[in-house]
Amino acid sequence: MTEMVFGAAPARVGDPILPRWWRTIDRWSLTAVMMLFGVGLLLGLAASVPLAEKNGLPQFYYVTRQAVFGAVSIVVMVLISMLSPAQVRRLGVIGFGAAFVSLLLLPIFGTDFGKGAVRWFSFGFASVQPSEFLKPAFVVACAWAMSAAQQPAGPPGRAISFGAMVVVVLLLALQPDFGQASLVLFSWGVMYFVGGAPFLLLGGIAGLTAMGGWIAYHSSEHFARRIDGFLSADIDPRTQIGYATNAIQEGGFFGVGVGEGTVKWSLPDAHTDFIIAVAAEEYGLVLVAVIIVLYCTVVMRSMARLTAERDPFVRLAGAGLAAAFGVQALINMGVAVRLLPAKGMTLPFVSYGGSSVIASGIAVGALLALTRTRPQGQIGEILGRRAS
């Protein structure tokens, strides 16, 4: 007897790859991702034109580039989603090694593009942000280490993953990139919790994180300025948060109309970090609600399918990838409505950016690969065999 999640047909040996992939993939999540990318292009048509004109470029320069990045991302996502869990694990471990080395080289060869944080490698025609590619690879590598620890005479995988997390978070904080550091820490914490970590240990880690935030506040002017701005009772209308907040208020329920928004002319990051403000102003709460539902669809569908998974690696890696994807979207939108301090984080598949879009494609491709339906024994049968 086998249990097929959501009634999908089991893959038959010898089936062609594409039909087998289509039967076993989570088509709801795949559709939601494609819709998010479509929304990103729609918003890019409005948000990126002022920046292109300001930089003396063709009006749809950034939209065209986003379409190219998106096409590459979708192809990569589909190809990765066809992999087996073992292949995802190998790809993640190799990718983590490459991204980690890139992160170490940033202080030497990286640039900040005048933003005060060295996060990118510039190649003239394009730039790459290693931390974007590090996130999914880190999750997969740590899930492998944690799952290996559950094997008889296995390595101390939890300790290894904890050490990797501490090193990565410190490297990101030194850039400084506290947004990505918090995302890495959160995804690791989710995997550690799913893996059965005691609450006392998780509480201790939370305490250490709070202490780290206190140290960062008193040692980093960049970090302190953002926290002070967030805690301030008054909002400076000339800041990015001020412009974004006003745009969201002006949009109301149905928005001011397509092309009628003004925030895109005031915000330098309207096409990236504050793209949701453009959506709220021109299309209103209706489009914002649709975007939230699409992200929730991917996260909730993935988590639901993972509950039937028996493989510890698949369960841990899938939970970490789904959590990172959802929380990144939550942070981006939370910053725009001033529920969270400004962190400079993109909205997956919607914001402009080659590194962000392609890395999101890699992460979701791995998530789709891990949540594909596979024959698995009924949990009652497994417990019955163990009891007998």
Side-chain angles (χ1 to χ4, degrees):
M1 296 294 293
T2 60
E3 174 186 334
M4 303 314 301
V5 184
F6 298 109
R12 294 183 291 272
V13 178
D15 275 356
I17 293 177
L18 284 178
R20 183 168 68 247
W21 171 81
W22 182 246
R23 279 200 307 273
T24 57
I25 199 74
D26 182 3
R27 282 169 285 194
W28 283 92
S29 293
L30 181 62
T31 301
V33 169
M34 299 297 288
M35 291 178 67
L36 284 170
F37 175 63
V39 170
L41 287 181
L42 175 67
L43 296 177
L45 287 171
S48 64
V49 171
L51 182 64
E53 292 184 359
K54 178 182 177 181
N55 293 336
L57 298 169
Q59 278 192 334
F60 301 112
Y61 173 81
Y62 292 105
V63 179
T64 304
R65 286 173 63 89
Q66 182 73 348
V68 173
F69 293 145
V72 173
S73 175
I74 290 171
V75 171
V76 170
M77 179 183 69
V78 170
L79 290 176
I80 292 178
S81 69
M82 294 180 179
L83 300 179
S84 67
Q87 291 170 325
V88 170
R89 183 177 66 244
R90 295 188 194 104
L91 181 64
V93 172
I94 294 172
F96 175 71
F100 184 76
V101 171
S102 300
L103 209 62
L104 292 175
L105 295 176
L106 267 180
I108 304 173
F109 301 105
T111 182
D112 63 354
F113 288 113
K115 296 185 178 182
V118 182
R119 302 176 185 174
W120 299 270
F121 290 117
S122 177
F123 300 101
F125 62 92
S127 61
V128 176
Q129 186 175 353
S131 61
E132 291 285 358
F133 298 94
L134 177 75
K135 288 180 298 185
F138 168 83
V139 168
V140 173
C142 284
W144 170 64
M146 291 182 186
S147 61
Q150 300 180 20
Q151 301 295 327
R158 290 184 176 180
I160 293 173
S161 69
F162 177 78
M165 180 273 294
V166 171
V167 173
V168 168
V169 167
L170 287 176
L171 288 174
L172 290 172
L174 289 174
Q175 290 183 4
D177 191 349
F178 296 105
Q180 299 287 9
S182 62
L183 198 57
V184 166
L185 179 60
F186 180 82
S187 59
W188 179 87
V190 168
M191 289 190 294
Y192 213 58
F193 174 76
V194 172
F199 280 102
L200 184 61
L201 180 59
L202 291 174
I205 293 173
L208 290 175
T209 303
M211 183 181 298
W214 184 84
I215 294 172
Y217 178 83
H218 289 280
S219 60
S220 171
E221 181 181 350
H222 173 81
F223 186 80
R225 184 169 60 250
R226 292 196 170 188
I227 295 298
D228 290 340
F230 171 70
L231 295 177
S232 174
D234 300 320
I235 303 177
D236 187 343
R238 297 166 298 179
T239 62
Q240 295 200 86
I241 294 294
Y243 287 126
T245 302
N246 181 69
I248 293 170
Q249 292 173 345
E250 291 292 328
F253 196 82
F254 294 106
V256 299
V258 180
E260 299 299 321
T262 59
V263 71
K264 58 195 177 187
W265 297 98
S266 306
L267 278 173
D269 293 327
H271 63 313
T272 55
D273 299 350
F274 289 92
I275 192 74
I276 199 68
V278 177
E281 184 182 33
E282 297 199 2
Y283 298 91
L285 178 64
V286 174
L287 181 60
V288 174
V290 169
I291 293 173
I292 293 173
V293 168
L294 292 175
Y295 282 114
C296 289
T297 298
V298 177
V299 174
M300 295 178 69
R301 290 277 303 183
S302 299
M303 290 296 190
R305 292 167 79 94
L306 288 168
T307 57
E309 183 57 55
R310 307 291 175 250
D311 186 335
F313 165 74
V314 173
R315 194 164 56 247
L316 292 171
L321 289 170
F325 180 76
V327 170
Q328 181 169 340
L330 177 65
I331 290 175
N332 177 278
M333 291 184 280
V335 167
V337 296
R338 206 167 177 248
L339 288 176
L340 295 170
K343 292 183 179 297
M345 192 171 291
T346 57
L347 193 60
F349 290 108
V350 177
S351 296
Y352 172 83
S355 295
S356 172
V357 173
I358 295 175
S360 295
I362 294 173
V364 174
L367 180 60
L368 290 173
L370 296 172
T371 56
R372 286 172 61 185
T373 53
R374 288 178 292 276
Q376 302 185 65
Q378 294 275 6
I379 186 64
E381 295 175 1
I382 295 174
L383 294 176
R385 286 197 299 269
R386 289 183 178 178
S388 60

